[in-house]
Amino acid sequence: MSRRFLRKLRNSAFLGLSLLATLVGLLCLGAILWTLVSRGVAGMNTGVFKLMTPPPGGTGGLLNAIYGSAIMTLLGILIGSPIGVLAGTYLSEYGRGSRLAAGIRFINDVLLSAPSIIIGLFVYEIVVVRMGHFSAIAGSLSLAILAIPVTLRTTEDMLNLVPQAMKDASAAMGAYPWRTTLSILYPAARSGIVTGLLLAIARISGETAPLLFTALNNQFWSSDLNAPMANLPVVIFQFALSPYKNWQDLAWSGALLITVAILALSIGARVVLGLLQAGRGSGR
Amino acid sequence: MAIIDPRHAAKQLVYERVFRSATLSAALLVLLILGGVAVSLLRGAWPALAHFKFAFITREVWNPVTDEYGALAPIFGTLVTSLIAMLIAIPTGFGIALFLTELCPPLLKRPIGVAVELLAAVPSIIFGIWGLFVLSPVLQRHVQPWLIEHVGDLPGIGRLFQGPPYGIGILTAGIVLAIMVLPFIAATMRDVFDTVPLMLKESGYGLGATTWEVIWYVVVPHSRVGMVGGIMLGLGRALGETMAVTFVIGNAHRISASLLAPGTTISSSIANEFTEAVGDLYTSSLIALGLLLFAITFTVIAAAQAMLRRLERRALSSI
C-alpha cells in the first residue's frame, strides 16, 4: 500500500514540476511582451515614424533606422532567397540520395544555427576591408548569407512533399526536369516556399550582431548603399546602452516595432502553412 | 501525330543544362560560404596567432594599451554562462516537452506549442534589453543579496556567490541565455518525444506503470539520442549568442570565482570592441576570438546534427 502511495506521490510531484516548467516558460514570454508593450507604447508617437534619430536630449524618431532596416532586409532577401530556393531544388530533385547533397544538407544545417556574429566578421573581412569602409551593401550581404540556410531548408522540405506521381506524369508528357520543376513543383509547393521566405525575413530583420561591423549605423538619413546606413537593431543597441532618457525611450519603441513585425511574420508563416495543409487535406 | 522537332529538343536540352547548373552552383555556394568563413577567419586571425602562439588561449591578460591579448577570460565566460544556461534550460525544457506531449489537454496543446515557438522567434537583442532593464534590477535588489547572505558563507559553493550585487554579470547572462535557448530545447524534445511509438507507451501503462514511470523508463530511454541532439543544438546557440549577453555581462576581461561578478564572453568581446579596435594586432586578436568561437560552435552543432540524423534514420527504419 505504502509503495503504491510512494509511486503515486512521485508521479504527481514530477508532473507538477513539468506543469511548473511550462508556466515558467509562458511567464517569461508574458513578462517580455508586457515590458515591451508598456515601455514601447509610452515612447510611441507619430514622431517615431516621421523624424530622424535625435542627438542626446533632443526630439526625434526612428525614420532613418526603419528605412535602413527595410532596405537591407529587402536586399538581403532578394540576394539570399533565390540562392536558397535553387540550392533547395538541387538537393530535392537533382542531387537526391547523392553524397554531395547529403554533405550540403549537413553543412546547411550547421550554417542554420551558426552564430551570426561570425557571419558579420566574415563579411567584414571580405567586403568591408576590401572597400575600405562600412556600407549598406555589406550589411545586406551578411543578411543574405543568413537567409540562405532558412530558405534552402524549407524549399527542400516542401519540394519533398510533392507527390512523386505528379513528377512522373510530367515526365511522361515529355517534359524535362527543369520544366517539371518550374511548371509543376514550384506551383505545388508555392505556399511552403512563401512560408520559408517569411521565416527568413523574420530571422534576418532582428539580427544585430552581423550589422555591427558591416552596415554600422548612421545618425542621418542615407539612401546611399555604398555608405553606412542606420538600422533598427543597431540603433536599439546603441540607444539602450546610452545614459540618455530620450534615447532609451526610442530604443524601447524600436524594440516594440521590431518584435511586433517579427511575431506578425512568424504567425503569418504559420497561417500560410496551415492553409497549405488544410488545402492538401481536402484535396485528397 | 506528334513528331519531335529536333531543334525544339536541342533547345530543351540547353535549358535543362542551364537550370541544372544554376541549382548546382547555388548548392555549391553553401559549401563555399562555410569554407570562406573558415579561410577568412584564419587569415584575419593569423597575425595574432603567430604573435602570441599557443599562449593566446592560456593567458588572461587583455590590454589594448600594451597590445597584449589572451583569450582565457572570454573562453571562461563563454563556457560558464552556457553551463549556467544549460543547467536551467535542460530541466525546464524537459518539463515543457513532457507537459506538451503527455499532460496537456488537446485544446491547449497547439496554443502553448506556438507560444513556445514564438519565444524562439523573438530577436536576441530584445532579450538583451529586457535582461538589462528588467531582470538585472530584480536580481540586484532581491535575489543576489539573498544569495550573498545565505549561500555566500557556505564552504565550497559559497565562493560562487560572493562580492557586491552588481545585477549584471555572469549569472545574469546565464539566466538570460537560459530563457533564450529554452524554446529550442523544449521544441526539439517535444518532437523527439512525439516519435516514441504509441505501442511502447501503451505497453507500459498496461503493466500498471504511472505516467512518470512510462516517461522515465520508456519515453526517455527511447529518445536519448534525440534529447542529447536537442540539448547540443541549444548549447550551440548559447555559446554563440551575442546581443542578449552583451547587454548584461558587464564586459570585464577577468576571471572571478564569483558568479555575481561581471565577466565577458567571446561574442560579447567582439561585439563591444571590434568597431573601436585600433591597431592590427588588436583587430586580429578579436578575429582570432571569432575563429575560436567558430571552431567550438561548429564542433557542437555538427555533433548535434549527426545525432539528430542518426535518430531520423532509426525512425525511418523502424517504420
Side-chain angles (χ1 to χ4, degrees):
Chain A
M1 192 62 191
S2 81
R3 192 178 145 77
R4 188 167 158 227
F5 177 72
L6 265 179
R7 283 174 58 206
K8 282 198 150 180
L9 193 71
R10 196 161 53 162
N11 188 42
S12 328
F14 279 111
L15 296 188
L17 282 178
S18 113
L19 180 66
L20 190 72
T22 312
L23 289 179
V24 167
L26 292 178
L27 193 76
C28 288
L29 181 66
I32 289 170
L33 290 183
W34 167 247
T35 317
L36 267 180
V37 170
S38 60
R39 297 186 85 154
V41 167
M44 195 68 82
N45 51 54
T46 51
V48 168
F49 301 98
K50 280 190 195 149
L51 302 170
M52 305 299 154
T53 44
T59 54
L62 296 166
L63 180 61
N64 48 344
I66 296 172
Y67 171 82
S69 268
I71 289 292
M72 282 192 279
T73 306
L74 187 71
L75 271 179
I77 279 291
L78 285 180
I79 302 168
S81 63
I83 297 173
V85 169
L86 281 176
T89 310
Y90 178 80
L91 294 193
S92 169
E93 299 309 315
Y94 292 111
R96 190 179 268 191
S98 73
R99 286 201 149 187
L100 177 67
I104 291 172
R105 198 173 294 126
F106 186 78
I107 295 298
N108 188 65
D109 282 350
V110 171
L111 277 179
L112 196 62
S113 17
S116 56
I117 194 164
I118 301 282
I119 305 297
L121 281 180
F122 169 57
V123 173
Y124 174 86
E125 283 284 298
I126 61 165
V127 180
V128 178
V129 171
R130 296 263 157 85
M131 286 170 56
H133 55 85
F134 299 102
S135 68
I137 295 179
S140 312
L141 267 182
S142 54
L143 295 183
I145 292 178
L146 290 166
I148 291 174
V150 185
T151 41
L152 191 158
R153 184 72 198 264
T154 38
T155 304
E156 194 205 348
D157 287 351
M158 291 305 148
L159 289 180
N160 281 342
L161 286 179
V162 179
Q164 183 65 33
M166 281 172 81
K167 291 182 221 168
D168 293 346
S170 175
M173 301 278 285
Y176 276 91
W178 74 271
R179 190 86 258 185
T180 308
T181 307
L182 291 185
S183 313
I184 309 289
L185 294 181
Y186 283 166
R190 193 172 46 212
S191 30
I193 296 174
V194 170
T195 308
L197 290 187
L198 292 180
L199 288 178
I201 298 174
R203 164 90 203 263
I204 66 175
S205 53
E207 281 293 351
T208 317
L211 293 178
L212 280 174
F213 357 105
T214 51
L216 200 64
N217 195 0
N218 195 331
Q219 236 189 301
F220 308 103
W221 174 269
S222 165
S223 54
D224 184 0
L225 291 180
N226 204 14
M229 192 182 259
N231 57 86
L232 272 177
V234 177
V235 167
I236 296 172
F237 179 52
Q238 290 180 347
F239 281 19
L241 284 176
S242 77
Y244 313 111
K245 174 87 173 56
N246 70 320
W247 276 18
Q248 290 184 0
D249 287 347
L250 273 177
W252 281 107
S253 303
L256 178 65
L257 276 181
I258 228 171
T259 311
V260 167
I262 287 171
L263 290 188
L265 280 167
S266 311
I267 294 172
R270 257 160 247 279
V271 170
V272 172
L273 205 63
L275 288 180
L276 171 81
Q277 276 156 359
R280 199 164 286 244
S282 66
R284 272 191 194 155
Chain B
M1 275 278 266
I3 297 170
I4 295 170
D5 175 1
R7 269 182 316 176
H8 176 75
K11 226 161 65 179
Q12 287 287 313
L13 206 58
V14 171
Y15 288 148
E16 175 62 24
R17 289 213 180 107
V18 170
F19 187 70
R20 195 193 155 99
S21 4
T23 61
L24 179 62
S25 19
L28 289 176
L29 192 66
V30 174
L31 295 184
L32 199 69
I33 288 173
L34 195 81
V37 170
V39 170
S40 73
L41 286 182
L42 250 177
R43 252 187 33 193
W46 192 248
L49 293 180
H51 188 269
F52 297 112
K53 309 229 165 47
F54 193 65
F56 183 71
I57 55 171
T58 56
R59 292 172 70 202
E60 190 186 336
V61 60
W62 187 270
N63 192 338
V65 180
T66 57
D67 236 12
E68 283 186 275
Y69 307 98
L72 197 59
I75 294 175
F76 173 82
T78 302
L79 296 181
V80 173
T81 50
S82 298
L83 180 73
I84 296 172
M86 299 321 279
L87 284 179
I88 301 172
I90 292 172
T92 318
F94 179 76
I96 293 177
L98 210 138
F99 179 81
L100 283 176
T101 47
E102 308 293 334
L103 295 178
C104 189
L107 200 66
L108 285 178
K109 202 167 172 168
R110 202 170 146 67
I112 296 182
V114 169
V116 170
E117 282 163 29
L118 285 185
L119 193 60
V122 173
S124 56
I125 189 165
I126 307 295
F127 289 93
I129 53 173
W130 182 77
L132 179 65
F133 287 102
V134 181
L135 187 66
S136 27
V138 171
L139 289 178
Q140 186 176 23
R141 263 178 240 136
H142 306 291
V143 181
Q144 294 185 346
W146 186 89
L147 281 174
I148 294 165
E149 197 174 320
H150 293 92
V151 191
D153 294 334
L154 298 179
I157 194 176
R159 293 181 56 194
L160 299 177
F161 301 101
Q162 283 171 355
Y166 289 100
I168 53 175
I170 299 268
L171 181 68
T172 315
I175 295 174
V176 172
L177 272 182
I179 301 175
M180 271 212 71
V181 298
L182 180 62
F184 293 100
I185 294 183
T188 323
M189 283 198 184
R190 177 197 57 186
D191 294 346
V192 175
F193 288 170
D194 271 337
T195 65
V196 177
L198 199 60
M199 191 73 84
L200 282 182
K201 287 197 267 182
E202 292 297 337
S203 313
Y205 286 119
L207 288 172
T210 61
T211 310
W212 171 251
E213 284 163 349
V214 168
I215 290 158
W216 196 245
Y217 295 110
V218 177
V219 174
V220 169
H222 192 271
S223 332
R224 203 177 292 131
V225 181
M227 281 170 64
V228 176
I231 288 169
M232 292 182 71
L233 218 53
L235 179 62
R237 296 249 167 199
L239 289 168
E241 178 45 47
T242 310
M243 299 324 290
V245 173
T246 306
F247 276 93
V248 293
I249 189 88
N251 203 36
H253 273 277
R254 60 165 183 267
I255 297 173
S256 331
S258 174
L259 297 180
L260 307 182
T264 190
T265 68
I266 295 179
S267 52
S268 69
S269 298
I270 303 173
N272 267 319
E273 297 172 40
F274 196 77
T275 42
E276 286 154 19
V278 279
D280 292 341
L281 204 56
Y282 195 0
T283 310
S284 173
S285 299
L286 285 167
I287 296 177
L289 280 184
L291 182 68
L292 271 176
L293 181 66
F294 177 71
I296 298 173
T297 50
F298 182 87
T299 316
V300 171
I301 297 170
Q305 292 297 346
M307 283 181 171
L308 289 173
R309 242 150 253 259
R310 216 169 83 195
L311 181 83
E312 241 163 65
R313 271 204 300 275
R314 205 179 61 185
L316 279 180
S317 64
S318 72
I319 290 171

